[in-house]
């Protein structure tokens, strides 16, 4: 097996294992969450660039689930319709389209990073929700609302409705975002989840919301649709009770029987005190390897920047997908370049063949 071995999952097959990692674009200038030309060209060019799977940025399942006012959303049929041209174009290029369904939880309502990333107060912002009313402990935090049981039910419904709409929009793969300190991760981690009801407490309680979301989404979409989950393998907070690689591995093993096809393994994001290790080449791949031991297929992400490095991850069975983020911002044609460098048939569009003779 190598980077250009097709990846079969339920009813779909990716032409290779290069996956465009979800990356927020903060590009909805009208603050309406609707995809526009930027999203079409940005995601479309990575499909033209040869990737097997092209994933959208964190796409909010409710308006309050946006990180910033400029995030992409999928909380109405109008949002799904705006994404149709994106999925159609990705398919026309021979790639699979994936959407990351997200709720930012207590990390919502911030300005985009290029404008400082600080909490947005007043009329331009909104009240974030979380497992408790403890706000994101950073700077000028915004008061956060604890989700009660009706609120939790609304969150589950929002993920299901978004999943169904995503399929209407033509997406091939769904990814549920449960990483980086956003809502579903906030329920998983004992750092942020101090609830005493059935959605808090021990591992069972803290994992309940994600498992409910996965179960409900799986029930609502056809059997042939792959469902991935992105997890933070660890909170990078070894000095206190926190979410660990062991917990992730156990959870990955329990998600597969619920219908999860792959765990996309990232890390961190739950607390500003996190101790981020050296983020050199392949810095998170060992987490993917460890979680893959649960038997659930995994995607590895983090510091994969070279064709040889991406190929190594697959050849040595360290992960099933090589998920590439920032290198795709530098080079939309990473997959074509990788195929050329490694000597595989390059997924060159017909229109560009003269450049590769
Ligand atoms: C600009 C930018 C936006 C990002 N947005 C998201 C996101 O929407 N969802 C997510 O799960 N990760 C997001 N990430 C994290 C990336 O998907 C990826 O996990 C991380 O950058 C590490 O991979 P890399 O070293 O290949 O870039 C973002 C990263 C960057 C640089």
């Amino acid at each position: 097996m190598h980077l250009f071995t097709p990846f079969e999952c339920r009813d779909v097959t990716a032409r290779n294992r290069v996956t465009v990692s979800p990356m927020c674009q903060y590009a909805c200038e009208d603050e309406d969450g609707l995809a526009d030309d930027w999203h079409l060209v940005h995601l479309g060019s990575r499909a033209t660039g040869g990737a097997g799977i092209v994933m959208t940025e964190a796409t909010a399942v409710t308006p309050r689930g946006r990180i910033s006012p400029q995030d992409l959303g999928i909380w109405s049929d109008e949002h799904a319709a705006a994404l149709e041209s994106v999925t159609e174009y990705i398919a026309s290029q021979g790639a699979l389209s994936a959407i990351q369904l997200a709720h930012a939880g207590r990390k919502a309502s911030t300005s985009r990073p290029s404008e400082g990333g600080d909490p947005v107060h007043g009329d331009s912002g909104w009240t974030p929700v979380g497992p408790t009313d403890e706000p994101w402990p950073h700077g000028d935090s915004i008061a956060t609302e604890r989700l009660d049981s009706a609120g939790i039910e609304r969150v589950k419904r929002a993920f299901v409705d978004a999943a169904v709409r995503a399929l209407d929009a033509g997406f091939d793969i769904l990814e549920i975002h449960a990483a980086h300190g956003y809502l579903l991760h906030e329920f998983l981690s004992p750092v942020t989840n101090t609830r005493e009801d059935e959605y808090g407490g021990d591992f069972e309680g803290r994992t309940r919301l994600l498992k409910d979301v996965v179960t409900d989404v799986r029930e609502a979409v056809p059997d042939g649709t792959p469902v991935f989950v992105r997890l933070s393998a660890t909170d990078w907070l070894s000095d206190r009770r926190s979410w660990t690689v062991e917990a992730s591995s156990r959870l990955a093993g329990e998600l597969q029987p619920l219908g999860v096809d792959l765990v996309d393994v990232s890390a961190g994001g739950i607390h500003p005190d996190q101790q981020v290790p050296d983020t050199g080449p392949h810095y998170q791949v060992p987490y993917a390897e460890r979680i893959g031991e649960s038997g659930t297929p995994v995607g590895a992400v983090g510091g994969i920047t070279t064709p040889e490095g991406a190929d190594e991850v697959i050849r040595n069975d360290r992960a099933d997908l090589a998920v590439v983020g920032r290198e795709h911002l530098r080079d939309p044609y990473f997959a074509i370049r990788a195929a050329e460098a490694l000597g595989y048939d390059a997924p060159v569009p017909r229109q560009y063949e003269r450049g590769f003779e």
Side-chain angles (χ1 to χ4, degrees):
M1 198 145 67
H2 56 73
L3 190 61
F4 286 83
T5 306
F7 173 70
E8 289 177 28
C9 190
R10 295 193 184 248
D11 278 0
V12 299
T13 302
R15 59 185 161 180
N16 60 56
R17 286 156 190 264
V18 177
T19 302
V20 177
S21 202
M23 281 180 288
C24 285
Q25 300 296 296
Y26 310 104
C28 298
E29 297 301 336
D30 293 338
E31 304 186 3
D32 53 10
L34 292 169
D36 63 18
D37 287 353
W38 176 266
H39 305 91
L40 173 63
V41 174
H42 164 67
L43 296 165
S45 49
R46 273 87 201 146
T48 300
I53 300 173
V54 177
M55 195 172 308
T56 67
E57 67 190 81
T59 305
V61 299
T62 70
R64 279 171 110 180
R66 288 171 297 167
I67 303 166
S68 83
Q70 292 84 15
D71 285 17
L72 200 55
I74 184 143
W75 61 79
S76 78
D77 292 345
E78 194 190 352
H79 290 84
L83 283 159
E84 268 174 35
S85 56
V86 175
T87 61
E88 278 167 16
Y89 183 80
I90 291 172
S92 78
Q93 299 303 294
L96 297 181
S97 55
I99 182 167
Q100 191 184 49
L101 301 175
H103 192 303
R106 70 178 194 164
K107 288 173 79 175
S109 190
T110 62
S111 64
R112 49 186 158 190
S114 59
E115 290 163 4
D118 296 318
V120 178
H121 292 264
D123 286 349
S124 325
W126 57 92
T127 305
V129 297
T132 71
D133 59 8
E134 194 72 35
W136 169 248
H138 186 53
D140 182 21
S141 353
I142 315 183
T144 293
E145 189 180 301
R146 176 187 186 274
L147 282 172
D148 59 12
S149 42
I152 287 180
E153 291 308 313
R154 280 195 297 274
V155 165
K156 290 188 213 169
R157 187 78 245 158
F159 271 97
V160 171
D161 290 347
V164 171
R165 273 188 213 108
L167 298 189
D168 289 345
F171 283 98
D172 299 302
I173 297 172
L174 306 171
E175 174 165 290
I176 295 166
H177 195 354
H180 301 166
Y182 298 117
L183 186 66
L184 297 177
H185 183 189
E186 288 161 14
F187 272 79
L188 295 177
S189 176
V191 173
T192 38
N193 186 346
T194 53
R195 295 174 73 97
E196 288 174 355
D197 65 357
E198 60 186 320
Y199 289 96
D202 58 7
F203 176 89
E204 273 313 314
R206 284 181 283 107
T207 57
R208 192 180 310 280
L209 177 57
L210 174 59
K211 287 178 179 167
D212 283 358
V213 167
V214 161
T215 304
D216 291 356
V217 165
R218 187 78 265 171
E219 261 176 38
V221 303
D223 279 352
T225 303
V227 175
F228 298 175
V229 168
R230 179 167 266 203
L231 290 181
S232 278
T234 162
D235 285 341
W236 280 328
L237 288 163
S238 52
D239 63 331
R240 65 184 89 168
R241 188 163 169 255
S242 62
W243 184 254
T244 60
V245 179
E246 291 67 37
S248 295
S249 189
R250 177 177 168 193
L251 177 59
E254 295 180 8
L255 288 176
Q256 195 181 29
L258 301 179
V260 169
D261 300 295
L262 178 134
V263 172
D264 177 4
V265 182
S266 189
I270 203 76
H271 197 279
D273 289 349
Q274 66 180 1
Q275 300 294 311
V276 182
D278 177 13
T279 55
H282 295 199
Y283 64 102
Q284 292 174 155
V285 175
Y287 302 139
E289 257 180 308
R290 170 76 177 77
I291 290 167
E293 287 167 12
S294 69
T296 304
V298 288
V301 66
I304 302 174
T305 58
T306 64
E308 296 74 17
D311 198 37
E312 182 272 328
V313 167
I314 306 298
R315 270 185 190 279
N316 293 322
D317 212 13
R318 302 178 76 192
D320 300 85
L321 295 178
V323 185
V324 177
R326 288 162 296 169
E327 189 59 24
H328 268 124
L329 299 182
R330 293 184 280 265
D331 179 7
Y333 304 102
F334 173 78
I336 291 179
R337 178 158 60 85
E340 291 263 295
L342 299 167
Y344 301 118
D345 277 346
V348 176
R350 177 179 42 77
Q351 296 88 333
Y352 288 177
E353 280 171 358
R354 290 288 300 275
F356 292 83
E357 283 169 6

